[in-house]
Amino acid sequence: MSTSYENEVIVISGASTGLGAATARLLAEQGFHVLAGVRREQDAERLRRPGLEPILLDVTEPSQIAQLVERMNTLGKPLRAVINNAGFAANAPVETMPLETWRKVFDVNVFGLIALTQALLPSLHRSKGRVVNISSVGGRVALPAFGAYSGSKFAVEGISDALRQELAPHGVQVVVVEPGGMRTDMAVRGEEMAHSLLERMTPEQRSRYNDTMQTFLSYTASMEQAGVSSEQAAKTVLRAVTAERSRPRYTIGRDAAVMSRLIRFLPDRLLDRMIASTLRRSSKAER
């Protein structure tokens, strides 16, 4: 195990499972002292190991953010990076998504990210560290039923662009990581949420959007099967953290890499047709 990073701290939110947990473990193996934000005590006990210190963190709770900052300060070590990984997925057509669900998505994915970043920026200025925001290919292009989730990730992309330019003169780097399809617990929870939202629709809404939701579920199932593992994806986050001069953006998975290139050149309506064709193929493959 490398010990070259043993005097540096990493803060990562959303580390209970999936990409967050895999990244926290990988960074601890490299020698970092990792403060890994989790939501429940049982998640903390499962994650704990040498160099990996779980800490209760709901990014929508200012008191828990303050406690994390206090704990980090007691370590007396420079902060290498904050990795904003906490996320909440909810998928349904814009017309049918309850406003409280929209607010939950943005509270976690956008305002929670901002709150944690603001709290840690004084430390990052002192250490010349970096902000690593886990976005999504859905932050570059939106699919049907992805309005809330993609909307929040589009916001993350814009915030990250502004922050990168604001912090560059002060020696703090800002990096966006854009995963595509992944085999994670978050994807499973997203499917469960989608079923719940479908059940809450009115009969009229269900008749209008049932096909859209079924296509979404088929597409996400196919992407999970073909997606990269959390452990593979964590290696990209490690590069974003440790590269001497990181790139502004990293993609994870072939689908994310291809889509990020296509959207630069294709007209919107042609891209819409390509997305519709891809979704139809995924739906037929699942039947």
Side-chain angles (χ1 to χ4, degrees), residues 256-277:
V258 170
M259 188 60 72
S260 66
R261 290 180 174 87
L262 285 177
I263 60 176
R264 298 177 192 171
F265 307 109
L266 293 183
D268 287 348
R269 294 195 186 281
L270 178 56
L271 186 61
D272 288 350
R273 290 197 293 272
M274 290 184 62
I275 289 171
S277 176

Side-chain angles (χ1 to χ4, degrees), residues 61-82:
E61 291 291 339
S63 62
Q64 292 192 4
I65 292 177
Q67 290 168 4
L68 181 146
V69 174
E70 182 178 353
R71 172 56 185 149
M72 188 201 68
N73 289 336
T74 65
L75 293 173
K77 299 177 180 179
L79 178 61
R80 176 63 171 247
V82 54

Side-chain angles (χ1 to χ4, degrees), residues 12-24:
I12 179 170
S13 64
S16 296
T17 60
L19 176 58
T23 300

Side-chain angles (χ1 to χ4, degrees), residues 35-259:
L35 293 178
V38 298
R39 294 287 302 276
R40 303 176 299 175
E41 289 285 359
Q42 55 263 45
D43 295 328
E45 292 310 310
R46 185 174 62 251
L47 199 60
R48 193 182 308 277
R49 63 194 61 198
L52 204 170
E53 179 183 348
I55 187 165
L56 290 179
L57 178 65
D58 180 339
V59 294
T60 68
E61 291 291 339
S63 62
Q64 292 192 4
I65 292 177
Q67 290 168 4
L68 181 146
V69 174
E70 182 178 353
R71 172 56 185 149
M72 188 201 68
N73 289 336
T74 65
L75 293 173
K77 299 177 180 179
L79 178 61
R80 176 63 171 247
V82 54
I83 304 172
N84 286 300
N85 178 68
F88 180 73
N91 297 86
V94 171
E95 180 181 355
T96 69
M97 179 83 78
L99 277 178
E100 66 266 23
T101 306
W102 279 89
R103 292 189 178 102
K104 173 71 172 179
V105 172
F106 277 76
D107 277 347
V108 175
N109 297 359
V110 180
F111 301 121
L113 175 150
I114 294 169
L116 185 59
T117 302
Q118 287 181 336
L120 292 171
L121 271 172
S123 297
L124 290 170
H125 280 296
R126 291 192 292 270
S127 64
K128 305 301 181 187
R130 64 191 63 178
V131 179
V132 179
N133 290 332
I134 308 301
S135 180
S136 167
V137 67
R140 307 293 296 280
V141 60
L143 307 183
F146 277 80
Y149 185 74
S150 284
S152 71
K153 294 301 185 179
F154 268 77
V156 168
E157 297 277 345
I159 291 163
S160 300
D161 285 346
L163 192 64
R164 183 181 66 250
Q165 296 170 76
E166 293 163 1
L167 297 181
H170 308 289
V172 177
Q173 298 181 53
V174 177
V175 188
V176 177
V177 178
E178 299 167 342
M182 289 183 59
R183 302 191 297 273
T184 68
D185 291 342
M186 183 178 178
V188 175
R189 292 194 299 271
E191 289 179 20
E192 293 172 351
M193 174 63 76
H195 282 292
S196 174
L197 291 170
L198 179 58
E199 291 173 2
R200 293 176 62 181
M201 291 182 193
T202 66
E204 181 181 4
Q205 289 173 339
R206 197 174 297 116
S207 67
R208 187 177 297 143
Y209 293 116
N210 183 69
D211 287 350
T212 298
M213 292 298 288
Q214 296 306 323
T215 299
F216 158 74
L217 291 166
S218 296
Y219 174 74
T220 54
S222 67
M223 292 307 296
E224 284 172 42
Q225 295 173 5
V228 300
S229 68
S230 298
E231 288 71 24
Q232 288 175 296
K235 295 175 183 178
T236 299
V237 183
L238 175 65
R239 289 198 295 274
V241 169
T242 59
E244 183 174 349
R245 183 168 177 79
S246 58
R247 302 201 304 263
R249 283 178 170 79
Y250 293 81
T251 58
I252 296 177
R254 182 176 178 274
D255 59 323
V258 170
M259 188 60 72

